[in-house]
């Protein structure tokens, strides 16, 4: 009788202990290399970028391009030890892969090596905003079963992340300046104007939302703030 009473008293704390051990094991398993990780949820992409930065080394991570898929994070960076070189690193299933050599773009006889290219710093980005940005993009897309599928971060025309009001004001100012030049008979060199327009770039997120019936994309600034136009 005494033994049965003791057993009953011990059952509750033992069950609780087993539950704690199982939860702890599950948490540990989720962090192990090879576990499935969603880059568009939580701080997974932010953590992956930090892991890549640690592997590359140096005080800062100079980036050419980022692609954030659900199952992986890909970053093309400048090699701090060989500044001319581009390398791609991939964070997938808790593991950093790379460096993988990346060819420099060539236009005519000009080679755009990393030291001659426009780069941005990892610290410019707020990757922790990814889940919230995706949620807002999905809500705005209004696509049946639409889901954030990809975020691409690169240099794009700055008008994509400026507000509608600011873009309209710039167009009005440019039109007024052109009229002023026409009246004065002193027109700006067309090539200089073209170079200025093409050089008006900003680090930009392009967020792709895809459903079985449609796909849309939206723009956001480096901190993940959606533009007010598509």
């Amino acid at each position: 009788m005494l033994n049965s009473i003791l057993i009953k008293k011990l059952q509750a704390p033992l069950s609780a202990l087993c539950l704690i051990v199982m939860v702890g094991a599950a948490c540990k398993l989720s962090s192990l290399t090879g576990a499935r990780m969603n880059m568009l949820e939580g701080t997974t992409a932010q953590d992956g970028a930090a892991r890549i930065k640690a592997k590359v080394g140096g005080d800062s991570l100079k980036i050419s391009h980022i692609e954030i898929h659900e199952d992986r994070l890909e970053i093309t960076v400048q090699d701090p030890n060989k500044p001319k070189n581009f390398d791609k690193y991939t964070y997938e299933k808790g593991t950093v892969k790379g460096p993988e050599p990346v060819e420099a773009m060539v236009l005519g006889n000009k080679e755009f090596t990393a030291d001659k290219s426009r780069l941005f710093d990892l610290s410019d980005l707020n990757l922790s905003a990814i889940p919230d940005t995706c949620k807002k993009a999905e809500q705005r897309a209004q696509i049946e079963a639409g889901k954030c599928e990809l975020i691409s971060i690169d240099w794009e025309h700055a008008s994509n992340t400026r507000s509608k009001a600011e873009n309209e004001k710039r167009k009005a100012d440019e039109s007024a300046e052109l009229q002023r030049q026409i009246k004065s008979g002193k027109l700006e060199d067309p090539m200089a104007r073209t170079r200025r327009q093409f050089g008006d770039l900003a680090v930009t997120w392009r967020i792709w939302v895809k459903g079985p019936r449609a796909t849309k994309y939206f723009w956001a600034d480096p901190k993940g703030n959606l533009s007010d136009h598509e």
Side-chain angles (χ1 to χ4, degrees), residues 107-170:
L107 291 177
N109 60 357
K110 189 171 183 179
E111 184 180 13
F112 290 89
T113 52
D115 59 327
K116 297 177 182 177
S117 300
R118 194 187 294 246
L119 306 173
F120 57 93
D121 198 285
L122 177 62
S123 62
D124 296 336
L125 309 176
N126 180 20
L127 298 182
S128 66
I130 287 174
D132 186 56
T133 302
C134 279
K135 182 179 179 181
K136 290 177 179 176
E138 290 166 358
Q139 292 171 343
R140 187 179 295 184
Q142 293 294 301
I143 294 175
E144 179 184 333
K147 185 178 179 182
C148 190
E149 183 183 62
L150 167 68
I151 296 178
S152 175
I153 305 177
D154 208 335
W155 293 98
E156 301 282 356
H157 198 275
S159 62
N160 293 319
T161 52
R162 286 196 289 257
S163 67
K164 286 182 180 179
E166 189 174 359
N167 281 330
E168 289 171 0
K169 181 179 184 304
R170 282 174 174 264

Side-chain angles (χ1 to χ4, degrees), residues 21-215:
V21 171
M22 290 172 66
V23 171
C27 292
K28 186 174 182 181
L29 180 62
S30 67
S31 64
L32 290 176
T33 298
R36 185 181 180 279
M37 308 173 81
N38 191 329
M39 298 296 152
L40 300 173
E41 295 180 353
T43 62
T44 313
Q46 184 181 23
D47 297 339
R51 291 274 299 277
I52 290 173
K53 180 179 182 296
K55 184 167 183 178
V56 175
D59 296 331
S60 61
L61 191 66
K62 297 299 182 182
I63 299 169
S64 169
H65 178 72
I66 295 180
E67 281 196 2
I68 307 168
H69 301 261
E70 185 176 287
D71 63 342
R72 69 191 185 279
L73 166 70
E74 299 176 348
I75 305 183
T76 300
V77 308
Q78 180 186 42
D79 184 342
N81 299 314
K82 297 178 181 178
K84 285 189 175 184
N85 292 351
F86 279 125
D87 291 313
K88 184 174 82 169
Y89 289 82
T90 302
Y91 180 66
E92 185 176 13
K93 296 180 179 178
T95 301
V96 176
K97 302 175 183 177
E100 179 184 337
V102 176
E103 290 186 17
M105 184 175 66
V106 177
L107 291 177
N109 60 357
K110 189 171 183 179
E111 184 180 13
F112 290 89
T113 52
D115 59 327
K116 297 177 182 177
S117 300
R118 194 187 294 246
L119 306 173
F120 57 93
D121 198 285
L122 177 62
S123 62
D124 296 336
L125 309 176
N126 180 20
L127 298 182
S128 66
I130 287 174
D132 186 56
T133 302
C134 279
K135 182 179 179 181
K136 290 177 179 176
E138 290 166 358
Q139 292 171 343
R140 187 179 295 184
Q142 293 294 301
I143 294 175
E144 179 184 333
K147 185 178 179 182
C148 190
E149 183 183 62
L150 167 68
I151 296 178
S152 175
I153 305 177
D154 208 335
W155 293 98
E156 301 282 356
H157 198 275
S159 62
N160 293 319
T161 52
R162 286 196 289 257
S163 67
K164 286 182 180 179
E166 189 174 359
N167 281 330
E168 289 171 0
K169 181 179 184 304
R170 282 174 174 264
K171 286 181 181 179
D173 290 345
E174 289 171 1
S175 178
E177 174 60 19
L178 179 60
Q179 291 300 317
R180 188 193 66 76
Q181 291 178 16
I182 291 173
K183 289 180 179 180
S184 67
K186 297 179 181 179
L187 288 173
E188 180 185 15
D189 178 7
M191 288 304 297
R193 184 166 61 250
T194 300
R195 284 193 296 269
R196 186 176 64 255
Q197 291 173 343
F198 277 97
D200 185 18
L201 303 176
V203 178
T204 307
W205 297 18
R206 187 185 294 198
I207 302 101
W208 298 85
V209 178
K210 184 175 182 180
R213 301 181 187 279
T215 300

